[in-house]
């Protein structure tokens, strides 16, 4: 799948408003922060091709996996070769690299690996990305009588900025409005992020699920705020478990000379998302770029 697209300033502005970190504004012509291609290149499918979960029905680009309908973002890797700039045109080429079915402790599942390359039109490659998408069997849905009442969560006040410094790290908390706005910015219609009855009664989650890409972006932003003078050369991320809407997550960052790590943990200390970055080496003092 190959197309020429524009790194759209509108969803970039939307993400800045959503994160509300106070970081310098990113405008047309500016370098795109790491991983913001997920919002700058939204791909809106026609309503007629959406499946019951809100994703495009498989079989066109992504493969059909019989008996594995539940889709989750599991992680991936990105390599940066140049600068993506807001408002610039890029050539996006995406391919399905592999489909691997396995059996684990919780049963059968599959990992689909999708590779994407972003290049300048008639120019060099700027970014290569691999995404790992996890497919699982249908959920065993609990008795509706045992599910939590949706009214109290809906009545809670909005949380304000989702990523807030606290001590040596940050807290990360979401609300339904935040999840809805991120879904809109990224053209993500997966119902587990905004449809409470579907998330709990069909897919068996205890509440709305925070987007895996949003958790990853929050870690990338925490790193960017901690080391604003460093440039990412590579970035790996893994989503081990979801954070649920309204639950407080805790972000920590560790910076080394040529690399950095960031983690998102739940209130009980469970590792939810991990991100590692390799930096472009610093030039010695007095040295000039080629």
């Amino acid at each position: 799948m190959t197309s020429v697209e524009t790194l759209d300033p509108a969803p970039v502005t939307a993400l800045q408003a959503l994160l509300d970190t106070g970081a310098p504004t990113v405008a047309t012509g500016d370098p795109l922060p790491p991983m913001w291609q997920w919002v700058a290149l939204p791909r809106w499918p026609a309503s007629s091709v959406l499946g019951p979960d809100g994703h495009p029905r498989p079989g066109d680009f992504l493969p059909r996996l019989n008996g594995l309908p539940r889709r989750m973002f599991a992680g991936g890797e990105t390599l940066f070769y140049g600068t993506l700039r807001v408002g610039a045109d890029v050539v996006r080429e995406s391919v399905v690299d592999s489909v691997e079915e396995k059996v684990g402790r919780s049963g059968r599942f599959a990992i689909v690996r999708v590779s994407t390359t972003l290049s300048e039109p008639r120019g060099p490659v700027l970014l290569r990305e691999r995404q790992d998408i996890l497919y699982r069997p249908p959920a065993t849905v609990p008795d509706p009588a045992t599910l939590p009442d949706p009214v109290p969560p809906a009545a809670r006040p909005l949380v304000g900025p989702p990523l807030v410094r606290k001590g040596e790290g940050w807290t990360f908390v979401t609300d339904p409005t935040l999840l809805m706005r991120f879904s809109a910015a990224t053209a993500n219609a997966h119902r587990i992020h905004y449809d409470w009855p579907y998330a709990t009664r069909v897919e068996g989650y205890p509440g709305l699920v925070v987007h895996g890409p949003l958790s990853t972006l929050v870690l990338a932003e925490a790193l960017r705020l901690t080391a604003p003078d460093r440039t990412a050369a590579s970035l790996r991320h893994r989503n081990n478990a979801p954070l649920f809407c309204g639950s407080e997550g805790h972000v920590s960052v560790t910076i080394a000379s040529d690399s950095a790590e960031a983690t998102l943990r739940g209130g009980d200390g469970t590792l939810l998302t991990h991100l590692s970055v390799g930096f472009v080496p610093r030039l010695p003092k007095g040295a000039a770029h080629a």
Side-chain angles (χ1 to χ4, degrees):
M1 181 185 297
T2 302
S3 56
V4 179
E5 303 178 37
T6 300
L7 293 163
D8 192 346
V12 170
T13 299
L15 182 61
Q16 291 179 94
L18 184 150
L19 294 174
D20 197 12
T21 62
T25 299
V26 180
T28 299
D30 291 337
L32 191 70
M35 308 314 294
W36 285 36
Q37 73 272 11
W38 291 344
V39 296
L41 294 171
R43 190 170 264 164
W44 284 87
S47 295
S48 58
V49 306
L50 297 183
D53 63 353
H55 279 303
R57 288 189 296 272
D60 182 11
F61 177 68
L62 291 172
R64 286 189 176 90
L65 295 166
N66 293 330
L68 299 173
R70 301 176 73 204
R71 171 176 165 174
M72 293 295 292
F73 182 80
E77 180 179 26
T78 303
L79 303 176
F80 303 92
Y81 300 105
T83 302
L84 298 172
R85 293 192 177 274
V86 180
D89 289 342
V90 293
V91 178
R92 171 158 64 173
E93 182 177 2
S94 297
V95 297
V96 175
D97 277 338
S98 64
V99 179
E100 187 176 2
E101 294 197 33
K102 300 182 178 182
V103 177
R105 287 178 296 178
S106 57
R108 177 172 165 252
F109 67 97
I111 294 286
V112 176
R113 292 185 170 88
V114 177
S115 290
T116 296
T117 300
L118 301 181
S119 308
E120 291 183 3
R122 298 175 299 280
V125 171
L126 301 175
L127 176 151
R128 295 187 192 276
E129 177 183 359
R130 187 198 78 244
Q131 289 189 5
D132 301 333
I133 305 169
L134 173 68
Y135 288 85
R136 295 184 294 166
T140 300
V141 180
D143 183 343
T146 68
L147 293 171
D149 185 348
V151 176
R156 292 174 184 164
L158 301 183
V159 301
L163 186 64
V164 177
R165 282 189 182 271
K166 186 175 182 181
E168 296 297 318
W170 286 263
T171 59
F172 173 49
V173 186
T174 61
D175 57 44
T177 299
L178 188 86
L179 299 191
M180 177 277 295
R181 299 209 302 163
F182 188 76
S183 289
T186 55
N188 184 345
H190 197 181
R191 292 169 65 183
I192 64 173
H193 304 306
Y194 59 86
D195 186 337
W196 192 93
Y198 176 86
T200 57
R201 288 166 168 78
V202 176
E203 297 225 14
Y205 291 109
L208 295 177
V209 181
V210 177
H211 311 66
L214 177 55
S215 294
T216 302
L217 272 167
V218 162
L219 294 184
E221 279 302 283
L223 278 172
R224 189 167 76 100
L225 293 170
T226 303
D229 60 334
R230 303 305 305 272
T231 301
S234 63
L235 188 151
R236 292 183 179 182
H237 52 98
R238 182 179 178 86
N239 294 79
N240 294 339
L243 181 68
F244 294 100
C245 186
S247 299
E248 185 173 288
H250 302 278
V251 174
S252 61
V253 172
T254 303
I255 304 288
S257 60
D258 59 354
S259 63
E261 288 188 290
T263 59
L264 171 65
R265 296 183 181 274
D268 62 356
T270 299
L271 177 62
L272 305 179
T273 306
H274 177 267
L275 181 147
S276 60
V277 172
F279 290 129
V280 173
R282 292 182 186 270
L283 289 173
K285 287 187 178 181
H289 287 277

